[in-house]
Structures are given as C-alpha cells and as structure tokens.
Amino acid sequence: MLKFNYIYLILLLLTGITGFSQSAKVKGVILNAYDQAVSDVTVSAGNVSTTSNSNGFYILDVKADQVIVISYMHVGYQTIKVQERLEVNEDKEINIRLTDTSEQMAELIIDNSDNERASGQVMISPTVIRRIPGANAGVENILKTLPGVYSNNELSTQYAVRGGNYDENLVYVNEIEVYRPFLIRSGQQEGLSFTNTSMLQSVNFSAGGFQAKYGDKLSSVLDMQYRNPTKFKAQLEASMLGGGATVDLVSPNQKWSAIAGIRYRNNALLVKTQDVDIDYRPQYLDFQSIINFNASSKWQWSFLGSVSGNIYDYKPVFGRTDFGTAANPLSMVIQYDGRELDKYQTYFGALKSTFKASENNTYKFIASAYHAKEQEYYDILGQYSIGEVDNNLGSDTYGQVLYPRGVASQLNHGRNDYDALIVSGEIKAQHKIKDNEIEWGVRYVSEDIRDRLVEWEVVDSAGFAITPPIGGSKNNQPYDPYYGPLAPYQNVRATNNATINRANAYLQWSRRTNIGENEIWLNAGLRAHQWIVTANDEKGKAQMVVSPRFQVAIKPNWEKDMIFRLSGGWYHQPPTYREIRAMDGTLNKDVKAQESIHLVLSNDYSFKIKSTPFKLTTDVYYKDLSNVNVYTLENVRIRYMADNNAEAYVYGADIRLNGEIVPGTESWLSFGYLKTEENYNDRGYIARPTDQRLKFGLMFQDYMPAIPNLKMYLNLVYNTGLPGGSPSYADPYDYQLRLNDYKRADAGFSYVFKDESIQTERNWLKNFEEVSLGFEIFNLFNNANAITNTWVRDVYSKSMYGIPNRMTMRTFNVKLNFRM
C-alpha cells in the first residue's frame, strides 16, 4: 500500500501544471504507528483545510513565499504541527506518522503552548499522578501540593481552594460534571475518588478567575479528559491498600474503541494506625467504562458509565489519646460499644456526541444521569475517663492512667437516608471566525432529592445528664435537684423531599492578537443561571443571576519569557440541596446564590538555569463575597445556616516554582498565603472555617545515578492550623481556637524493571511496556495530625479539655504495577 501511494505521488508530480498563482501544494501519506493508512485526518494551514482519503493520502493548496503552519488532527492521535516555507508553484511531499496521544504525553509539561499559559490553568501529567505516593493517591493527592489548595485530611479526596470550602469546586470528566457523595462525614468513609487515574489523558486545574464556559461555583475548576485509545493496552496495579485493572480495546477499523477499569480499595491498613482499636471492614468497589464510536470524520459518539459501591462497616472497641504537657501528662481512655454501618451507591451515565459541521464550526450534545443511594446508620456508646498519667520512670505503674479527673459516657444515634436523581441535557458549540473564537452553551438540570435525617446524642457525666447547649434547661447538679425534662444533648429530625430545576447558558469570545510587537490574549464571557426550588410541596420563587467574566493576558516582546494575566469577574454559586438545608434539618427554599467579585493578577516566567528549564508562577488574588451562607466544618462534613446573612472577604498570594531538576522528571515547590474572614449578622469579622494562613507543598522526583532503575518520589505538605478547635455546637464568636499545624510527608521508592526510558532484553518483560515494584511510606516522620477535637469536662476545675482526634500515623505499603 505504501509503494502504491508513492507511485501515486510521483504521477501527480509528473502531471503537475505550472501556474502563475502565488500558491504551492503540500501532499503526502498519513500512517499510524503500525504503518496503516489513517483516513479522515484533518489537514489545515490557515483558513484552508482538507481530509485524508481511505489510503491516507492528502493534498492541500497553501500560500507561497511565507511561513505557514500545517496541522494534522484526528480524534485519538497526537496533533502534529509542521512549519514550512514553500516557493511559488512548489510541490512539497510531507509524510506523517500519527502516534497515540497517551504515548506522546510528556511527563514534563513546562513549556506549554502560549495559549495554555495565557488561560492560567495548571497542566498536570497523568504519569506524575500515577506515580506520586499518597494515602489516597490520585488527582486530588497532587492537587494538595499546589499553592492555594488546602486539605488537612489524608484520607479524604476533598480539598478547599483559596478560602472556599469543599462544595465550591467544579469537577469535569470529558466535559461532564461529576458529583460527590452527600452523607460522607469523615475522610475514612470516602474510599475512592471518582477519577480513575489509569484512564486519564490530560488534567487541567484552575484555582480562580476561570472562563464563562465553566459552571457556577466560587472557587476552582478541575477539567480532566479520559483518553481515546488507538490500540490494545492493559494495566494491572496491586498494593496492600487495594488494586485495579484497566484495559484499552480498539476495533480493527479504528471506528470503535473503549476503556474499562475496575478498582478496589481497603483503608484498614491506614485506619488501624489511629488511636482507636477498631474492627474495621470497609469495601470500596468501582467500575468505569468509556465507549467511543467514530461514525465519520464529522460525527463522534461516546458513552461514559460508572457504578460504585462503598460499604463502611465500623466497630470501635477501645481508644486512648495522650495529651497535656510533659510536666502534666493527661490521657483519655474510652471503651466503646456499638457499630456504624454506612452504604453509598452511585450510578452514573453520560452520552456525548460531537458534530464537526465544518472546519470552523463544532457542536456537542451531552446528556447525563446521576443516581445516588446513601444510608448512614450508627449506634455507638463511648464511656471515657480522663486522668493523669504516671510519668515516674521508676514506678510500677509507669505510663498508666491514674487519678481520674472526669468520667462520662456519650451515646450517638443516627438513621440517615439520602436518595438523589440528577438528570441534565446540554448543547455546546464552538465557532472560529477569522481570528475570533466564539463559544456558547445551554444546559437544563433537574434534581430530585429525598432525604431523611435522624440524629441525636446523649451525654452523661458521672450519672448526671448534660442538657442541650442551646435552648436547654439550666442544670446545677449535684448541688440543686434537676426537675427539667430529660432531653438529648443534640437532636435533629427531618424528612424532606425537594426538587431543583435549573437552566443556565453561557456565551464567550476569545481572540489572540498583537499590540505592536507584544502578543495579547483576550477572553470575555457571560453566564446566566435560573433556578427554582420546591421543598416539601412548597414552591419557592424563581431566581436568576448573571455572571460576567474576563481574562486578559499579554506577552511582552522581551528577552525574558514572561506572560502577565489579569482575570476575574462576578461569580455566583446558586444553592445546592446541601446549602438549603439548615442545621436543624429544615429547608429554606429561597436561599440566594452566594456572590463573589473575584480578581486575580498573575505572572508566568519561564527560564533556564544552565540547561534546566524552570517556570515561576505568581498569583495575587482578592475576593469580595456577599450573600454568604455561613457553615460549620467538622472533619469533611459541612452544615449550613441556610440564611445568606453574612459577608466575607478573601485575599492572598500563591507562588509555584516547577522544573526538570532531574532529567525526565518534574518537581515543584509551592507556597501560599491567605486570609479570609466573615461577618455574620453584623457581629463583626471572625476567621472562616477555611482560614488557613500558610501552606507549603513539595512534589519531588529523583533517581539514583548508579542505579537508574531505582526511583524516589516525595510528596510533602505543611499547612498551618485551621479554625475548628472549638466544639461543633459552640458559637464561633465565643470560640476562635485553631487546630495544630498539619505536617505530612509521603515517600515512595520504585524499582523499574522496564518503562519508556529503561529497556531490557529479559524475555519475561518483552510483552510489557512498564513493570515496577514500589515501596511506600505514608506519614514518613510519624506526625500526629488532628482533624477535630473531642471536648470533655474536668470534674475538679470544671474546665473543658480539647482532646485531639488524630489522623493516621506512619504506614508502609508495597505496590506492583504492570502496563502492556
């Protein structure tokens, strides 16, 4: 076939007609990695384009006597660009071999295209995501090392960005919005992130000032793409925390392709390092698949499906937490009885169709359905005592708890059920008009939620029932008899049925041009969002918000490679079901959208030290928030006041330096500073629950020069303490205590038998692209981080003690990976 194509080219050259037009011709054959012809490849140069035929042959008329850029594009292959300058009437032969994008995806992404740099998004290599160790490895594990991204919980995949909370982040997979479980209260209940990292092709993250084409949230956008496979591949991963398998399938004619992945996770190895002795039997199972069909050069179809099940079976037995000082060591000992059994089931499906009407006009149609069924059942009795610890080294009772100061018990009961069905339909379009790009979209979403909330807590101290902290009768036991009613310390009961119907649309314009010798990128857009809530058969009022957004980037014609950006706008977050449910379980159907006027000033500086490339990114930002819906944060559970009676502000700075310190690997160092405060009911400004002042992050890769097969990965995070050291029921204006600083280092060592840079002649490896055996150490320095405090009383001084609820300690893991 290849010889036939060359003969065809020669005949064309011999029969070419010499003209006087100022044009030239480019011809050639396009093949894949297996030397097979690739049809329907779009070949373009400026405003002219063509497609390759069934033999992979193309011919294109181009302008002569000027530099042109020829692009070769096809779904599932790496886009290739070739720069040429042709003479008048010249016939140029350019033969192209397209390669799978996943093979071409560089591990180091520093010298991004100027367009990507101008957008302000951070691009993260899927290879880095798969390799870097973490107690909950995945995309979120890497995000937590970036500036402006905060998390004090290694068991959770949730994160806060620039003063926002966990509900303020957009997550997309293949342009389809992804939702999180609702009833999750602690990180150890989460199990798996939605994103299957072995299926990833690209990851882009924006910490603020994002474009109008993205949805209505206040903080960030995580935009991910699963790959479109072009040949058979398989991957198997196993570790002491679980494992997974992924397979890529492609039809002989390249029209059909699919990826299927299954994952299993068990956090018992991590959770058992905590202060509590637990009978812990979790089961996290997830299956995802994406099926692609290239009907023609104009139509492509894909289906993304996911089914996940999470069973959290938790039975605490005994716990001991040491606290206090070296001179006055104290300890709390707890005996538990009872059990917690939670179940989270998620079913998700989305159908996407892409229609390329012409070279300059593309339309996309997306329909999706998300169904979540969750239950949270628990009855746990904790009987605890607080006492002084014998610190006399010569004593027979050294280390034991003596001299009790307080004895109490606490019974927690919950019967929570949640069922949600979210269905959406969307049309998106992209038009290129000369140097302008116009994008628009329209989306309709229907949310149907059924929720039952039953939670109560009884606290007993040495036989005396503790009355509720808010609205309870005065209790002066044992000095005065108590005649009031016996009531739970906390008691919430509600049954809700709610529907939320939303319609939103966006329109945005982009242009790349020049001012003198300086390049400039312009982007302006507008979003509109209308919604109406029906709560327990009572219809709320229809509400609508309009969000203008903009981005301006300029690259001066300097010797230094710099880009300056200014972005922002008026961002809105229309309420979700969680935001309309108040702390007592009642629904406020007329909650307004939270608003944020957001400005970000950025500088992107690419440079080299000797031959090593680096990039320094600096962001300074400010947010002015109104209609704020204040909330409390306990572990990962968010509870809102649902009244919009606050205002707030956020300001800060983020710095990130990344580079190829070791050839072939990317590393970075990040620093962030922020301050955020809120004013509720004009009572004055206090720190918000996500007021995390300082953050340092380090992601480092290295290898031993003497043993290049042995590689090392380090993931380090330091965050100053969050507000949250006070009781969850307390008035935050009375308690502004902070938790201790969060310090975490995870290290991984991997021996690579074979990969793209290390080859071998061993027969048993010939069918594999990559084989590695890894050893991981989580919490390398064994830091005792705390996520919340348990508050107990001292019988002698009647003071309250904050007992830290500590996270996981040092843990070891072994990991095996095969790719073929």
Side-chain angles (χ1 to χ4, degrees):
M1 180 181 292
L2 189 59
K3 292 181 178 179
F4 173 81
N5 288 323
Y6 278 117
I7 294 172
Y8 185 46
L9 284 173
I10 293 172
L11 290 175
L12 285 172
L13 289 171
L14 292 175
T15 58
I17 299 174
T18 304
F20 297 96
S21 62
Q22 303 298 308
S23 64
K25 285 184 171 60
V26 178
K27 310 169 183 178
V29 177
I30 303 175
L31 306 175
N32 62 19
Y34 303 98
D35 288 336
Q36 298 170 332
V38 182
S39 62
D40 299 324
V41 177
T42 299
V43 185
S44 62
N47 295 324
V48 296
S49 65
T50 186
T51 57
S52 60
N53 63 18
S54 58
N55 295 318
F57 175 76
Y58 74 95
I59 182 170
L60 182 68
D61 290 323
V62 298
K63 294 181 180 180
D65 284 337
Q66 67 180 48
V67 176
I68 59 170
V69 176
I70 308 167
S71 299
Y72 301 82
M73 295 178 291
H74 190 283
V75 176
Y77 292 95
Q78 172 73 27
T79 296
I80 293 179
K81 294 185 178 182
V82 178
Q83 184 172 291
E84 291 287 344
R85 183 185 179 92
L86 279 69
E87 302 293 334
V88 176
N89 297 326
E90 180 181 358
D91 283 38
K92 178 75 172 182
E93 178 181 344
I94 303 177
N95 299 314
I96 297 296
R97 177 174 280 107
L98 297 179
T99 311
D100 179 7
T101 55
S102 63
E103 295 179 345
Q104 291 294 317
M105 179 66 67
E107 182 178 25
L108 175 65
I109 304 177
I110 294 180
D111 295 324
N112 303 327
S113 68
D114 289 339
N115 286 331
E116 294 293 343
R117 294 173 64 191
S119 71
Q121 292 184 325
V122 177
M123 299 179 65
I124 307 173
S125 166
T127 305
V128 172
I129 294 170
R130 288 193 300 266
R131 290 179 176 176
I132 300 305
N136 214 330
V139 176
E140 297 83 1
N141 180 50
I142 296 297
L143 290 182
K144 294 172 184 178
T145 66
L146 298 179
V149 183
Y150 299 83
S151 175
N152 285 18
N153 191 337
E154 64 271 7
L155 292 174
S156 174
T157 61
Q158 304 194 53
Y159 52 90
V161 179
R162 291 180 177 174
N165 66 30
Y166 304 143
D167 292 336
E168 297 180 9
N169 306 307
L170 287 162
V171 180
Y172 294 96
V173 173
N174 286 25
E175 301 183 84
I176 302 160
E177 188 172 356
V178 174
Y179 302 92
R180 290 183 177 274
F182 179 83
L183 291 182
I184 295 290
R185 288 180 297 113
S186 65
Q188 65 192 47
Q189 296 172 327
E190 289 186 31
L192 289 163
S193 164
F194 177 88
T195 309
N196 189 328
T197 56
S198 64
M199 298 170 66
L200 281 174
Q201 175 175 296
S202 64
V203 178
N204 295 307
F205 179 74
S206 174
F210 44 87
Q211 298 176 0
K213 67 180 180 180
Y214 295 113
D216 295 290
K217 295 285 187 180
L218 294 181
S219 294
S220 73
V221 173
L222 177 62
D223 190 0
M224 299 172 286
Q225 290 287 328
Y226 283 170
R227 66 178 175 273
N228 191 346
T230 57
K231 65 178 182 179
F232 174 81
K233 287 185 178 181
Q235 177 182 349
L236 177 65
E237 182 179 291
S239 76
M240 298 171 67
L241 293 172
T246 307
V247 61
D248 293 16
L249 301 171
V250 182
S251 66
N253 62 3
Q254 298 283 317
K255 286 187 174 294
W256 289 89
S257 64
I259 310 176
I262 187 169
R263 298 178 295 167
Y264 172 76
R265 176 83 176 181
N266 188 329
N267 281 339
L269 184 70
L270 293 166
V271 174
K272 288 183 178 180
T273 66
Q274 295 178 299
D275 291 335
V276 180
D277 184 14
I278 303 171
D279 182 8
Y280 182 66
R281 294 185 297 274
Q283 298 179 40
Y284 309 132
L285 190 64
D286 167 90
F287 174 79
Q288 289 187 35
S289 179
I290 183 168
I291 303 171
N292 305 297
F293 174 56
N294 297 320
S296 66
S297 59
K298 293 183 177 293
W299 279 101
Q300 289 85 40
W301 297 79
S302 66
F303 174 78
L304 174 62
S306 172
V307 178
S308 65
N310 179 350
I311 299 177
Y312 178 77
D313 192 352
Y314 175 86
K315 187 177 180 181
V317 179
F318 173 81
R320 172 172 170 172
T321 303
D322 296 323
F323 63 104
T325 64
N328 185 28
L330 300 173
S331 182
M332 181 175 72
V333 178
I334 308 177
Q335 294 286 345
Y336 290 100
D337 192 14
R339 179 187 182 190
E340 178 173 353
L341 180 61
D342 304 330
K343 296 180 180 179
Y344 309 91
Q345 295 176 323
T346 301
Y347 307 91
F348 178 76
L351 181 66
K352 176 182 175 182
S353 176
T354 302
F355 175 60
K356 192 174 181 63
S358 65
E359 180 63 27
N360 296 320
N361 298 280
T362 303
Y363 300 88
K364 297 176 182 178
F365 310 91
I366 303 173
S368 67
Y370 171 86
H371 186 201
K373 297 177 66 177
E374 305 177 25
Q375 73 171 39
E376 185 181 44
Y377 294 176
Y378 57 87
D379 287 285
I380 296 179
L381 172 65
Q383 297 174 307
Y384 62 86
S385 64
I386 303 172
E388 299 179 12
V389 178
D390 186 355
N391 60 352
N392 186 352
L393 292 175
S395 173
D396 294 336
T397 58
Y398 174 74
Q400 296 182 19
V401 180
L402 306 175
Y403 317 115
R405 291 189 174 189
V407 178
S409 61
Q410 178 177 329
L411 174 61
N412 286 279
H413 168 89
R415 292 294 184 272
N416 301 328
D417 292 280
Y418 176 81
D419 191 305
L421 177 63
I422 302 175
V423 180
S424 70
E426 183 176 11
I427 301 175
K428 303 172 69 174
Q430 183 177 7
H431 310 283
K432 295 181 180 179
I433 306 173
K434 295 184 178 180
D435 295 330
N436 302 287
E437 183 173 329
I438 305 296
E439 296 179 71
W440 60 267
V442 179
R443 186 183 186 211
Y444 177 79
V445 184
S446 176
E447 304 174 12
D448 187 3
I449 295 117
R450 293 159 296 282
D451 174 35
R452 183 187 72 169
L453 176 65
V454 179
E455 294 181 357
W456 52 259
E457 176 184 10
V458 174
V459 179
D460 174 270
S461 180
F464 302 103
I466 306 300
T467 56
I470 300 176
S473 303
K474 292 184 178 181
N475 186 345
N476 194 31
Q477 298 180 82
Y479 308 105
D480 297 318
Y482 176 67
Y483 298 104
L486 292 178
Y489 190 66
Q490 296 185 75
N491 185 21
V492 180
R493 296 173 181 268
T495 300
N496 297 315
N497 294 303
T499 59
I500 306 176
N501 294 307
R502 308 177 187 273
N504 56 70
Y506 71 88
L507 174 67
Q508 75 172 34
W509 161 80
S510 302
R511 180 183 176 90
R512 178 176 179 176
T513 185
N514 294 85
I515 298 180
E517 296 182 346
N518 305 310
E519 294 183 81
I520 187 169
W521 291 261
L522 302 171
N523 177 277
L526 194 69
R527 284 194 70 90
H529 191 131
Q530 185 181 48
W531 74 99
I532 186 168
V533 178
T534 301
N536 298 322
D537 298 325
E538 293 185 9
K539 197 170 185 178
K541 61 183 180 181
Q543 300 185 62
M544 183 176 179
V545 293
V546 178
S547 302
R549 305 175 187 178
F550 73 93
Q551 290 185 330
V552 178
I554 185 169
K555 184 178 182 181
N557 185 26
W558 296 347
E559 182 178 347
K560 294 183 178 181
D561 184 5
M562 283 192 176
I563 289 182
F564 296 89
R565 293 187 301 271
L566 177 64
S567 60
W570 192 3
Y571 291 79
H572 292 85
Q573 181 162 316
T576 61
Y577 175 74
R578 191 197 303 270
E579 291 163 272
I580 69 173
R581 193 181 80 174
M583 294 189 181
D584 62 359
T586 59
L587 300 183
N588 181 358
K589 56 187 179 299
D590 294 322
V591 170
K592 298 177 182 178
Q594 299 185 81
E595 300 178 353
S596 172
I597 297 175
H598 194 174
L599 290 175
V600 184
L601 179 63
S602 309
N603 174 260
D604 186 319
Y605 176 32
S606 295
F607 60 96
K608 289 186 177 181
I609 299 179
K610 296 183 178 179
S611 59
T612 303
F614 289 91
K615 185 169 74 173
L616 178 66
T617 305
T618 305
D619 295 307
V620 179
Y621 57 89
Y622 177 80
K623 302 179 188 180
D624 183 22
L625 294 98
S626 56
N627 288 339
V628 173
N629 193 348
V630 299
Y631 60 92
T632 61
L633 181 62
E634 186 175 6
N635 206 304
V636 298
R637 187 188 193 188
I638 299 176
R639 294 186 296 175
Y640 290 91
M641 293 296 292
D643 57 11
N644 297 115
N645 287 347
E647 58 185 6
Y649 68 84
V650 185
Y651 66 81
D654 293 334
I655 300 173
R656 178 174 179 250
L657 175 66
N658 62 312
E660 191 178 354
I661 300 174
V662 176
T665 62
E666 182 183 10
S667 301
W668 62 72
L669 174 67
S670 62
F671 166 78
Y673 168 82
L674 78 82
K675 181 177 181 180
T676 178
E677 291 185 326
E678 64 188 14
N679 179 5
Y680 183 63
N681 283 334
D682 293 324
R683 298 178 63 187
Y685 281 94
I686 60 172
R688 304 190 77 195
T690 52
D691 181 36
Q692 191 130 46
R693 294 296 172 85
L694 296 177
K695 183 260 176 69
F696 294 93
L698 174 68
M699 197 285 294
F700 183 71
Q701 302 182 70
D702 199 357
Y703 68 92
M704 296 182 63
I707 312 176
N709 297 66
L710 187 59
K711 299 184 178 182
M712 186 274 286
Y713 312 96
L714 180 64
N715 184 0
L716 187 148
V717 174
Y718 170 82
N719 296 330
T720 54
L722 280 171
S726 58
S728 61
Y729 55 81
D731 184 344
Y733 279 84
D734 295 332
Y735 291 86
Q736 277 291 288
L737 303 175
R738 288 180 178 263
L739 297 166
N740 291 331
D741 296 350
Y742 181 85
K743 295 165 283 188
R744 178 86 182 185
D746 298 323
F749 304 88
S750 179
Y751 187 87
V752 180
F753 296 92
K754 182 181 180 181
D755 65 5
E756 65 275 4
S757 61
I758 299 175
Q759 300 299 315
T760 180
E761 299 297 328
R762 299 176 184 176
N763 289 332
W764 69 279
L765 293 173
K766 64 181 181 180
N767 294 324
F768 296 97
E769 292 184 359
E770 180 180 336
V771 178
S772 63
L773 177 64
F775 176 71
E776 298 176 326
I777 308 175
F778 305 134
N779 198 355
L780 179 65
F781 302 112
N782 208 32
N783 293 311
N785 298 306
I787 189 65
T788 56
N789 283 334
T790 297
W791 291 86
V792 295
R793 304 180 182 214
D794 185 329
V795 71
Y796 297 114
S797 63
K798 296 185 180 180
S799 60
M800 296 278 287
Y801 287 101
I803 313 299
N805 297 316
R806 296 199 173 100
M807 300 298 296
T808 62
M809 305 302 288
R810 185 187 293 123
T811 310
F812 301 96
N813 185 38
V814 178
K815 187 176 181 180
L816 182 64
N817 182 51
F818 290 93
R819 295 172 64 88
M820 60 181 300

